RNA sequence: GGGGACGUAGUUCAGUUGGUUAGAACGCUGCCCUGUCACGGCAGAGGCCGCGGGUUCGAGUCCCGUCGUCCCCGCCA
């Protein structure tokens, strides 16, 4: 028996034809001598009719059908009477009058039904993922993901990119995230690492003359999970030779245009740009959500004595956060707000603007004016607390002072976003599918690692510094800016890239600035440093998070909604129950012994 | 590593100040029903209240621990 139609395809124009449908029993409505069965596949549902009068034996067998049985139905397509048309489904103009029924497979009573309107908890959904994936919403998301990936492949291929695979079993690199390790049987005690990204391979592909490379590729990072972070995730990784940042921006803007088109969205290019320093200053974040108003530094609104009276450090910014239409907060709401505020460093919060207004009416009026706040807007201030004897240490080392201010900016930035999320229903700025893209450029080359007491690469150590900052590599690493850029959408980092170093001598300097000796650099990246010496073209690229992109297109709150088989917050796959211990013999073969603790 | 929320029938949830036999809806089973489409009606089955310990005459409810899921901080070049 051969399927002639999918369950979502029949229309009035098919009336009078024979049809063979195959699918799941989505719902059965048994009216006694008349039974309706909705047959479902990934394309939709079609109503099948079994009448006792027409065919008693068949009607009897239809009575045996249960939810999620897999069936084949032969019948004739009939236009429904006008008063029985179902406007809620695309196939609602027709129904199939059954002539033959085959039960292809029975189903145990499932723990939950795909057609149910209330969702079971996520633990159950993940354990019985194959049932969860039958739900419309999941079918839609996975199809969306396919369409987006396909559109991207077509686009990049048309732009002259080759899709080239790189190894999954590769070399551990100590920089960056923790690696997932794969033990070698042939060389006991040695390990491959799963790639955190194909970074060095794609650079070597440029050295190898492929000019333009891309790959939709799985990456692995052994770090703690979040709603938007899975231990394995998919990147759209690309690299081009002879780049300017501008070329990368154009390619990515084109790519996102067609990807979002595949998801049913129109976007406008080119995207606005902002340096990292501006982003921190104006939004307290390196991934600003542009749907919300900018923060305003209103320290000029206060006189020196007023700052002192308020306990505000005179050198600190005073950042006004405005959230439109949230209105004044009640006493209780203000109390609930405090835990949202991460008062790291010396960051200090003024959550009661009304009260401030009473004591300091003139500055408050200035603040209202500078922020453009309406009476219905929520205003809070974040600033730096002045403490006796504060940051006198280490002779005012520059990065220390900077990081001090940075704490105020980022505390404000985090609060801005949490406030907006909490009161989303009042300001309504997160509805309506607004897409605010942004390029954030000129990231710092290095970040100071407090724990390790050393400089670390902010992006990765193969990122090219700005030409103009080369001379500061030794003297003032914190001031060196990199040719690195992030693409940000609605406060989510969609992708991150850079122009790479293509000269071996500069690469050496960077390793040196990172406190890595020549021997150490050779030991870790010798193969790469050597490759750089054999005629390396200038090159650069970016990697975009496919999962995050599809998540936004699907308006999903979690990556798990767009990944067929995701892991829980403890990095467990509940369906297959991984990870698991392995047998003693397997371990022995690998030369591994597990320490019991 | 730290903070928070949750865990009661197959599922989603309710369960009062600690007090008799732990409820509802959906699902499931049986019967009735010829135009339903979240069909309807009647009847019924279904519970280790996550697990372990404690307090108490008495614990779903209070306390401690533990396991699991989710969210956040740290972490994520």
């Amino acid at each position: 028996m051969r399927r002639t139609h999918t369950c979502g395809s029949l229309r009035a124009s098919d009336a009078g034809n024979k049809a063979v449908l195959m699918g799941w029993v989505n719902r059965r409505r048994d009216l006694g001598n008349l039974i309706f069965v909705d047959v479902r596949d990934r394309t939709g549902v079609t109503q099948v009719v079994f009448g006792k009068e027409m065919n008693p034996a068949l009607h009897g067998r239809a009575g045996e059908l249960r939810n999620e049985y897999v069936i084949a139905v032969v019948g004739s397509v009939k236009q429904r009477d006008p008063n029985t048309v179902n406007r809620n489904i695309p196939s609602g103009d027709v129904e199939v009058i059954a002539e033959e029924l085959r039960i292809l497979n029975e189903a145990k009573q499932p723990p939950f039904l795909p057609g149910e309107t209330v969702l079971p908890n996520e633990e159950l959904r993940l354990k019985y993922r194959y049932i969860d994936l039958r739900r419309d919403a999941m079918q839609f998301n996975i199809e969306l993901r396919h369409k987006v990936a396909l559109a991207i492949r077509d686009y990049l291929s048309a732009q002259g990119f080759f899709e080239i695979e790189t190894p999954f079993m590769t070399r551990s690199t100590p920089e960056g995230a923790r690696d997932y390790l794969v033990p070698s049987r042939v060389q006991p005690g040695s390990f491959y690492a799963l790639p955190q990204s194909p970074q060095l391979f794609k650079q070597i592909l440029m050295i190898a003359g492929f000019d333009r490379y891309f790959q939709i590729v799985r990456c692995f990072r052994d770090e703690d999970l979040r709603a938007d972070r899975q231990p394995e995730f998919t990147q759209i990784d690309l690299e081009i030779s002879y780049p300017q940042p501008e070329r990368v921006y154009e390619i990515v803007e084109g790519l996102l245009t067609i990807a979002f088109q595949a998801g049913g969205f129109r976007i406008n290019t080119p995207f606005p740009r902002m340096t990292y320093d501006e982003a921190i200053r104006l939004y307290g974040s390196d991934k600003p959500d542009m749907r919300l108003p900018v923060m305003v530094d209103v320290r000029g609104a206060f006189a020196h004595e007023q700052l002192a009276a308020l306990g505000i450090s005179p050198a600190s910014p005073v950042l006004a956060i405005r959230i439109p239409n949230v209105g004044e907060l009640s006493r209780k709401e203000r109390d609930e707000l405090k835990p949202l505020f991460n008062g790291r460093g010396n960051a200090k919060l003024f959550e009661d603007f009304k009260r401030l207004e009473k004591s300091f009416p003139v500055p408050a009026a200035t603040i209202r004016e500078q922020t453009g706040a309406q009476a219905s807007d929520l205003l809070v201030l974040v600033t730096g607390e002045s403490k006796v004897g504060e940051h006198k240490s280490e002779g005012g080392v520059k990065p220390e002072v900077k990081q001090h201010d940075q704490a105020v900016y980022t505390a404000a930035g985090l609060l801005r976003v949490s406030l907006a999320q909490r009161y989303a229903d009042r300001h309504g700025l997160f509805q309506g599918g607004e897409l605010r893209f942004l390029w954030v450029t000129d990231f710092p080359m290095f970040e100071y690692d407090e724990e390790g007491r050393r400089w670390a690469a902010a992006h990765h150590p193969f990122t090219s510094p700005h030409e103009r900052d080369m001379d500061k590599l030794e003297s003032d690493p914190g001031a060196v800016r990199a040719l690195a850029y992030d693409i940000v959408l609605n406060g989510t980092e969609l992708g991150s890239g850079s122009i790479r170093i293509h000269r071996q001598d500069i690469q050496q300097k960077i390793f040196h600035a990172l406190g890595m000796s020549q021997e150490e650099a050779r030991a870790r990246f010798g193969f790469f440093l050597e490759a750089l010496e054999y005629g390396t073209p200038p090159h650069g690229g970016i990697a975009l998070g496919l999962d995050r992109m599809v998540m936004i297109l699907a308006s999903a709150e979690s990556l798990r909604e767009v990944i067929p088989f995701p892991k829980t917050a403890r990095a467990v796959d509940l369906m297959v129950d991984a990870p698991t211990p392995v047998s003693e013999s397997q371990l022995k073969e690998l030369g591994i012994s597990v320490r019991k603790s």
Side-chain angles (χ1 to χ4, degrees):
Chain A
M1 192 183 291
R2 183 173 172 167
R3 171 163 70 171
T4 61
H5 297 81
T6 56
C7 295
S9 63
L10 289 174
R11 294 292 181 274
S13 56
D14 296 300
N17 293 337
K18 281 257 157 74
V20 180
L21 298 181
M22 300 193 185
W24 284 267
V25 173
N26 195 49
R27 218 172 224 120
R28 184 177 53 110
R29 290 176 294 281
D30 188 342
L31 277 62
N33 289 332
L34 193 61
I35 297 173
F36 299 99
V37 173
D38 292 339
V39 191
R40 182 195 74 235
D41 62 21
R42 73 168 199 221
T43 65
V45 294
T46 296
Q47 174 165 284
V48 178
V49 187
F50 298 86
K52 194 170 190 176
E53 239 169 47
M54 296 180 286
N55 190 335
L58 190 64
H59 173 268
R61 300 205 46 222
E64 292 162 25
L65 294 178
R66 295 293 179 270
N67 286 322
E68 299 306 301
Y69 277 26
V70 184
I71 61 171
V73 175
V74 185
S76 58
V77 183
K78 188 195 137 203
Q79 174 122 35
R80 295 202 201 181
D81 291 338
N83 58 324
T84 63
V85 164
N86 184 353
R87 304 251 167 254
N88 300 320
I89 55 172
S91 69
D93 281 325
V94 296
E95 59 196 6
V96 170
I97 309 299
E99 289 158 13
E100 193 181 336
L101 168 67
R102 285 193 202 174
I103 296 175
L104 303 178
N105 215 338
E106 300 184 346
K108 272 172 57 177
Q109 174 60 30
F112 59 95
L113 292 172
E116 216 38 76
T117 41
V118 278
L119 271 181
N121 76 48
E122 200 162 1
E123 208 174 338
L124 206 68
R125 290 178 56 199
L126 290 174
K127 181 167 180 199
Y128 298 96
R129 191 58 158 177
Y130 37 90
I131 295 171
D132 187 49
L133 288 168
R134 288 179 193 167
R135 292 171 40 241
D136 282 347
M138 293 308 281
Q139 295 268 325
F140 177 89
N141 290 355
I142 301 304
E143 180 182 1
L144 175 65
R145 189 181 174 120
H146 160 72
K147 285 178 176 166
V148 169
L150 183 65
I152 288 168
R153 282 202 166 89
D154 282 346
Y155 169 82
L156 288 174
S157 178
Q159 296 286 318
F161 287 78
F162 291 172
E163 183 165 22
I164 306 174
E165 290 174 279
T166 52
F168 276 1
M169 291 161 65
T170 180
R171 197 192 150 86
S172 176
T173 54
E175 295 280 333
R178 270 186 289 270
D179 288 320
Y180 278 102
L181 296 176
V182 180
S184 163
R185 175 184 56 84
V186 188
Q187 298 181 55
S190 283
F191 295 81
Y192 302 95
L194 303 179
Q196 297 175 24
S197 86
Q199 184 58 36
L200 290 178
F201 285 106
K202 70 172 171 178
Q203 291 192 239
I204 283 177
L205 286 170
M206 293 304 100
I207 299 173
F210 285 100
D211 205 89
R212 291 185 159 202
Y213 140 95
F214 86 100
Q215 189 178 188
I216 297 185
V217 63
R218 201 67 59 81
C219 301
F220 307 86
R221 292 179 192 174
D222 184 5
E223 295 295 344
D224 288 342
L225 288 79
R226 288 286 189 285
D228 63 351
R229 262 162 42 190
Q230 283 273 313
E232 46 179 316
F233 60 99
T234 303
Q235 283 193 344
I236 303 149
D237 191 45
L238 63 90
E239 193 81 3
I240 61 177
S241 295
Y242 313 108
Q244 306 282 326
E246 298 298 327
R247 279 306 293 138
V248 178
Y249 299 165
E250 278 170 35
I251 288 164
V252 170
E253 284 168 1
L255 182 153
L256 288 170
T257 300
I258 59 92
F260 276 67
Q261 197 172 16
F265 289 88
R266 253 197 63 175
I267 62 180
N268 296 318
T269 57
F271 303 149
R273 294 173 201 173
M274 186 180 292
T275 64
Y276 169 87
D277 288 329
E278 281 178 292
I280 296 294
R281 208 154 31 78
L282 299 174
Y283 297 94
S285 167
D286 60 0
K287 41 179 185 180
D289 192 329
M290 307 288 286
R291 293 172 298 179
L292 305 167
V294 68
M295 307 193 300
V296 183
D297 187 346
V298 295
R299 75 181 103 175
F302 292 96
H304 271 285
E305 314 82 65
Q306 292 174 320
L307 291 178
L310 286 164
I312 297 171
S313 162
S316 163
V318 179
L319 301 170
I321 301 170
R322 175 170 76 87
I323 312 286
N325 292 319
V326 170
E328 216 176 315
L329 294 186
S330 67
R331 171 68 206 269
K332 189 174 164 233
E333 284 170 331
R334 287 200 302 271
D335 285 344
E336 287 167 353
L337 184 154
K338 282 171 193 160
L340 296 181
F341 180 69
N342 186 345
R344 242 174 312 172
N346 63 336
K348 177 186 170 99
L349 168 69
F350 291 93
E351 76 279 4
D352 193 346
F353 193 76
K354 268 270 146 62
R355 193 169 140 192
L356 198 76
E357 207 156 32
K358 256 176 213 153
S359 321
F360 301 92
V362 177
T366 310
I367 291 169
R368 283 199 182 275
E369 197 196 316
Q370 286 182 350
T371 56
Q374 307 292 306
S376 58
D377 294 352
L378 171 65
L379 272 179
V380 299
L381 301 185
V382 173
T383 178
E385 192 162 13
S386 64
K387 283 178 191 152
V388 188
E390 71 176 332
H391 53 94
K392 290 250 169 72
S393 59
E394 330 241 330
V397 181
K398 208 175 171 188
E400 192 113 359
V401 174
K402 262 194 108 160
Q403 291 198 346
H404 213 267
D405 261 4
Q406 183 122 353
V408 174
Y409 284 114
T410 53
L414 286 171
L415 180 66
R416 171 176 173 268
V417 172
S418 344
L419 278 175
Q421 277 164 358
R422 168 158 299 206
Y423 299 114
D425 52 333
R426 296 198 209 164
H427 61 68
L429 292 173
F430 292 165
Q431 282 109 46
E434 191 187 3
L435 299 171
R436 296 290 296 271
F437 288 92
L438 176 73
W439 286 106
V440 178
T441 67
D442 299 279
F443 274 76
M445 184 71 196
F446 305 105
E447 275 165 0
Y448 195 70
D449 174 11
E450 296 286 350
E451 228 171 280
R453 300 221 142 259
R454 62 181 193 98
W455 290 97
H459 184 55
H460 56 58
F462 316 105
T463 302
S464 177
H466 261 288
E467 194 70 42
R468 57 159 200 260
D469 294 336
M470 288 293 182
D471 55 333
K472 292 185 217 153
L473 281 177
E474 301 290 324
S475 57
D476 188 6
V480 176
R481 299 291 111 161
L483 286 170
Y485 33 80
D486 276 8
I487 177 73
V488 174
L489 168 57
N490 292 355
T492 298
E493 181 198 314
L494 267 194
S496 189
S498 63
I499 304 301
R500 327 297 181 187
I501 298 165
H502 63 278
R503 278 171 40 189
Q504 206 264 4
D505 56 333
I506 296 174
Q507 187 66 69
Q508 289 282 15
K509 276 190 187 168
I510 299 299
F511 284 141
H512 185 75
L514 289 168
M516 214 184 287
S517 70
Q518 272 205 14
E519 297 72 48
E520 217 177 332
R522 285 261 161 230
R524 290 179 183 181
F525 304 111
F527 72 100
F528 183 69
L529 292 173
E530 194 177 7
L532 284 178
E533 292 180 302
Y534 287 99
T536 298
H539 60 284
I542 195 166
L544 303 161
L546 177 67
D547 315 87
R548 284 185 184 177
M549 200 186 297
V550 178
M551 173 173 125
I552 291 170
L553 287 171
S555 317
E557 297 286 319
S558 154
L559 240 40
R560 296 183 299 276
E561 300 299 318
V562 297
I563 296 175
F565 304 105
K567 291 179 177 54
T568 69
R570 280 175 58 257
V572 167
D573 182 326
L574 291 177
M575 186 180 73
V576 304
D577 187 24
T580 58
V582 295
S583 70
E584 205 44 54
S585 62
Q586 257 178 308
L587 287 175
K588 199 177 162 194
E589 201 165 40
L590 296 166
I592 293 175
S593 71
V594 177
R595 200 190 310 150
K596 314 265 187 240
S597 56

